[in-house]
């Protein structure tokens, strides 16, 4: 997805890679079994969701990387997808570089490498940062996490709310 285009309420799907570049805007879902990259001045806006889930037979590069100068908001989710105890090697890493300003939820069953300013919540198996040729596990550096300034209108994506009401489903069954 590139150029001055906007996807609202749409779903982007790829078994290998999704790339948002230039002035593109996603206000929908990007789902991949491989990699999702948000580059240059591309942006994800709430209720945007970046979602990767690894499969056992997948050999493609996995994870989510945001390296954009634009403000981001929504949800970022990277899952292992094997239904067994979490394995770091299955779930791709989530990487936010130092220019990123993100508002929302970050949930990773693998490694999460945070840099920049994050307003919201982060749940990760491993927090890490890389410096030169060394990876520092369960460390944070050059990141600000602030949950207290979220607006009241911010909502979590489906499946992350503790009290799920199936009103429409029960209504259609009557």
């Amino acid at each position: 997805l590139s150029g001055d285009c906007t996807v609202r309420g749409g779903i982007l799907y790829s078994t290998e890679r999704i790339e948002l570049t230039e002035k593109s805007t996603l206000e929908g879902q990007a789902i991949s079994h491989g990699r999702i990259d948000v580059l240059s001045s591309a942006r994800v806006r709430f209720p945007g969701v970046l979602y990767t889930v690894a499969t056992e037979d997948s050999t493609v590069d996995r994870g989510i990387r945001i390296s954009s100068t634009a403000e981001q908001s929504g949800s970022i989710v990277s899952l292992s997808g094997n239904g067994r105890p979490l394995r770091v090697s299955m779930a791709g890493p989530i990487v936010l570089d130092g220019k990123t300003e993100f508002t929302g939820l970050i949930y990773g069953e693998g490694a999460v490498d945070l840099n920049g300013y994050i307003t919201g919540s982060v749940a990760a198996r491993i927090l890490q940062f890389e410096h030169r040729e060394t990876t520092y596990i369960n460390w944070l550096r050059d990141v600000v996490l602030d949950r207290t300034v979220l607006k009241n209108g911010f909502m979590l994506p489906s499946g992350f709310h503790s009290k799920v009401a199936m009103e429409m489903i029960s209504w259609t069954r009557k």
Side-chain angles (χ1 to χ4, degrees):
L1 188 63
S2 67
D4 193 11
C5 65
T6 299
V7 174
R8 285 191 183 102
I11 297 174
L12 305 176
Y13 174 78
S14 174
T15 56
E16 294 183 13
R17 185 173 184 192
I18 296 172
E19 186 175 277
L20 284 74
T21 62
E22 299 171 11
K23 296 179 182 178
S24 60
T25 301
L26 175 67
E27 295 177 11
Q29 299 176 31
I31 302 168
S32 178
H33 291 291
R35 181 169 192 80
I36 299 175
D37 291 307
V38 180
L39 307 170
S40 78
S41 58
R43 69 179 60 211
V44 177
R45 287 191 177 154
F46 185 80
V49 176
L50 304 179
Y51 178 84
T52 61
V53 60
T55 58
E56 290 281 348
D57 58 347
S58 178
T59 58
V60 298
D61 189 20
R62 296 184 265 262
I64 299 171
R65 176 177 295 275
I66 297 182
S67 182
S68 174
T69 55
E71 219 173 278
Q72 311 292 323
S73 62
S75 300
I76 300 173
V77 180
S78 181
L79 303 177
S80 63
N82 57 8
R84 291 182 288 216
L86 302 178
R87 292 184 356 205
V88 175
S89 62
M90 284 295 296
I94 297 172
V95 179
L96 278 69
D97 77 7
K99 300 173 283 195
T100 304
E101 288 186 33
F102 179 79
T103 301
L105 168 72
I106 299 171
Y107 180 85
E109 288 186 350
V112 175
D113 188 339
L114 301 174
N115 292 289
Y117 190 87
I118 291 94
T119 303
S121 302
V122 177
R125 178 173 171 84
I126 294 176
L127 294 170
Q128 71 176 30
F129 76 88
E130 295 183 5
H131 181 66
R132 297 187 185 145
E133 295 181 10
T134 305
T135 300
Y136 296 87
I137 304 295
N138 292 329
W139 285 65
L140 290 175
R141 183 185 79 157
D142 297 332
V143 64
V144 175
L145 291 171
D146 192 351
R147 172 70 176 92
T148 62
V149 297
L150 272 183
K151 296 177 179 74
N152 291 335
F154 182 80
M155 297 169 47
L156 294 176
S158 299
F160 283 92
H161 190 272
S162 61
K163 295 180 182 176
V164 178
M166 303 285 194
E167 295 175 50
M168 183 57 87
I169 293 173
S170 62
W171 175 76
T172 58
R173 290 182 182 164
K174 289 182 182 177

